[in-house]
């Protein structure tokens, strides 16, 4: 993404947990630089809660509110009004709205109508399909956080297994007795790498994505046009607003980081690098005959 893009980050503290704060900041940096970093919520949802420390750490501007009517959430209204004020200043290229609340569906559509890039972030089990489709891109922040935690635990177990193996080697040099410590350590590491994660929320299945990719390639073939990997990514994002290759994993359980890795694992597809540093994707002839 263009680092020159100026993004207005608006967080609904009434709807999103503070445990995702670091992941939110990291993810929005992929789309540009934050010109606005605001968080909205009632006093009791921000002060003396986990959000208070995250506000200081990440330089968020708290917009604390009072609900004047029982049962009514002032956060929604304040965030929407601020978003429109920021829109009319013309000082940003895009918005990132962090909430799984469907009340922001109309706001997202309005911002897109104004020609702004609009990114949504929320939790996979709360966001509706209608909300996700109102954005240019919708990110499941809980899925990314879960994957990061799984990778951290796997790294810790791998490090523990390595330390145990080195300790065993040291003990073997002093004693001729055999030890089963190495086998136990490697078994622990194996169980960590084998843990998988099923798709969450409204995510398309890997098979659905594979079929769509092949369809894109065949449509280009009909027009005698090569299919660029970047075009595949753009078309997938247009079709599935919540698509992100990082949500999917290989057979061994390790998550993909790049679209190239995902596409290269699809049977029947061929990737070709060019001298212009572009990657073109085609269907292998044998696979094409079977379609």
């Amino acid at each position: 993404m263009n680092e020159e893009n100026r993004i207005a980050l608006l967080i609904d503290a009434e709807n999103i947990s503070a445990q995702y704060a670091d992941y939110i900041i990291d993810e929005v940096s992929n789309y540009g630089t934050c010109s606005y970093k605001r968080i909205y919520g009632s006093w009791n949802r921000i002060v003396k809660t986990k959000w208070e420390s995250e506000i200081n750490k990440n330089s968020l501007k708290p917009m604390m509110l009072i609900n004047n009517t029982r049962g009514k959430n002032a956060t929604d209204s304040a965030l929407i009004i601020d978003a429109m004020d920021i829109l009319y200043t013309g000082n940003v290229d895009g918005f990132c709205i962090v909430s799984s609340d469907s009340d922001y569906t109309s706001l997202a559509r309005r911002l897109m109508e104004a020609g702004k890039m609009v990114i949504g972030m929320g939790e996979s089990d709360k966001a509706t399909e209608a909300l996700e489709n109102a954005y240019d891109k919708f990110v499941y922040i809980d899925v990314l956080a879960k994957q990061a935690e799984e990778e951290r635990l796997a790294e810790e177990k791998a490090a523990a297994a390595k330390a145990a193996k080195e300790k065993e080697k040291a003990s073997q040099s002093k004693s001729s007795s055999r030890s089963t410590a190495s086998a136990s350590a490697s078994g622990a590491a194996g169980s960590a790498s084998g843990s998988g994660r099923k798709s969450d929320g409204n995510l398309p299945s890997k098979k659905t994505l594979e079929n769509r990719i092949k369809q894109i390639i065949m449509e280009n073939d009909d027009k005698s046009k090569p299919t660029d990997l970047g075009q595949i990514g753009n078309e997938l994002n247009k079709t599935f607003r919540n698509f992100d290759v990082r949500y999917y994993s290989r057979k061994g359980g390790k998550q993909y980081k790049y679209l190239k890795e995902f596409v290269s694992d699809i049977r029947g597809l061929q990737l070709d690098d060019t001298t212009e540093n572009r990657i073109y994707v085609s269907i292998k002839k044998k696979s094409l005959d079977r379609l």
Side-chain angles (χ1 to χ4, degrees):
M1 291 291 177
N2 186 356
E3 294 182 358
E4 298 301 319
N5 283 335
R6 295 164 299 175
I7 308 295
L9 173 63
L10 310 177
I11 303 172
D12 180 356
E14 306 272 350
N15 189 269
I16 292 291
S17 170
Q19 66 179 307
Y20 301 126
D22 288 339
Y23 301 104
I24 292 168
I25 299 300
D26 287 344
E27 184 64 20
V28 77
S29 67
N30 293 329
Y31 300 93
T33 302
C34 285
S35 298
Y36 296 83
K37 291 198 291 185
R38 297 182 180 180
I39 181 168
Y40 300 79
S42 59
W43 181 275
N44 62 314
R45 290 296 185 95
I46 293 179
V47 176
K48 298 190 184 303
T49 70
K50 290 182 178 180
W51 268 122
E52 186 172 16
S53 61
E54 295 297 339
I55 285 170
N56 293 328
K57 183 173 73 173
N58 293 298
S59 298
L60 301 173
K61 182 179 180 180
M63 311 295 285
M64 288 183 283
L65 310 157
I66 296 176
N67 293 329
N68 295 314
T69 305
R70 185 180 296 274
K72 295 293 183 179
N73 189 351
T75 297
D76 296 9
S77 299
L79 192 153
I80 291 170
I81 291 170
D82 273 7
M84 296 308 295
D85 283 345
I86 294 170
L87 172 65
Y88 291 133
T89 64
N91 291 331
V92 298
D93 303 295
F95 291 81
C96 179
I97 300 172
V98 185
S99 179
S100 307
D101 193 337
S102 296
D103 288 346
Y104 298 116
T105 302
S106 296
L107 172 63
R109 289 174 181 158
R110 175 65 184 86
L111 296 173
M112 286 182 66
E113 287 174 359
K116 301 299 182 182
M117 174 179 65
V118 190
I119 310 300
M121 292 189 199
E123 295 178 83
S124 56
D125 59 343
K126 295 180 181 179
T128 64
E129 188 173 2
L131 176 66
E132 294 168 8
N133 289 334
Y135 291 91
D136 288 304
K137 177 82 173 177
F138 194 89
V139 179
Y140 290 153
I141 202 66
D142 59 320
V143 176
L144 295 183
K146 183 178 179 181
Q147 288 179 346
E149 180 64 12
E150 288 175 351
E151 289 178 5
R152 185 186 66 79
L153 291 174
E155 288 175 358
E156 286 182 356
K157 289 184 178 180
K162 183 179 179 180
K165 192 172 182 179
E166 291 175 349
K167 184 177 180 181
E168 181 192 7
K169 285 182 179 180
S171 64
Q172 283 179 343
S173 65
K174 296 178 180 180
S175 171
S176 60
S177 61
R178 294 182 176 274
S179 172
T180 58
S182 178
S184 300
S186 61
S191 63
S193 63
S195 62
R197 180 191 59 79
K198 63 180 181 179
S199 295
D200 296 313
N202 302 311
L203 287 180
S205 67
K206 288 183 73 173
K207 190 64 179 177
T208 298
L209 293 171
E210 290 177 10
N211 291 337
R212 178 61 183 135
I213 290 170
K214 291 177 180 178
Q215 182 185 18
I216 293 168
I217 295 171
M218 288 189 289
E219 288 173 354
N220 277 347
D221 286 344
D222 289 341
K223 300 173 185 176
S224 300
K225 292 168 54 181
T227 303
D228 184 273
L229 182 64
Q231 181 192 354
I232 289 176
N234 290 335
E235 293 294 336
L236 290 177
N237 281 321
K238 287 179 184 177
T239 307
F240 311 104
R241 299 301 174 90
N242 59 357
F243 170 70
D244 195 309
V245 73
R246 294 171 296 175
Y247 299 153
Y248 301 88
S249 59
R250 302 174 186 271
K251 289 184 179 179
K254 187 176 180 181
Q255 278 77 30
Y256 295 102
K257 289 187 177 181
Y258 306 103
L259 182 61
K260 180 180 178 180
E261 298 172 341
F262 182 87
V263 174
S264 65
D265 271 358
I266 299 177
R267 282 188 177 183
L269 294 187
Q270 179 175 315
L271 277 69
D272 297 301
D273 293 328
T274 69
T275 54
E276 296 86 15
N277 293 324
R278 303 189 66 159
I279 300 173
Y280 290 102
V281 187
S282 59
I283 299 176
K284 294 179 181 178
K285 190 177 185 307
K286 288 184 179 180
S287 299
L288 195 59
D289 293 338
R290 291 196 295 266
L291 292 176

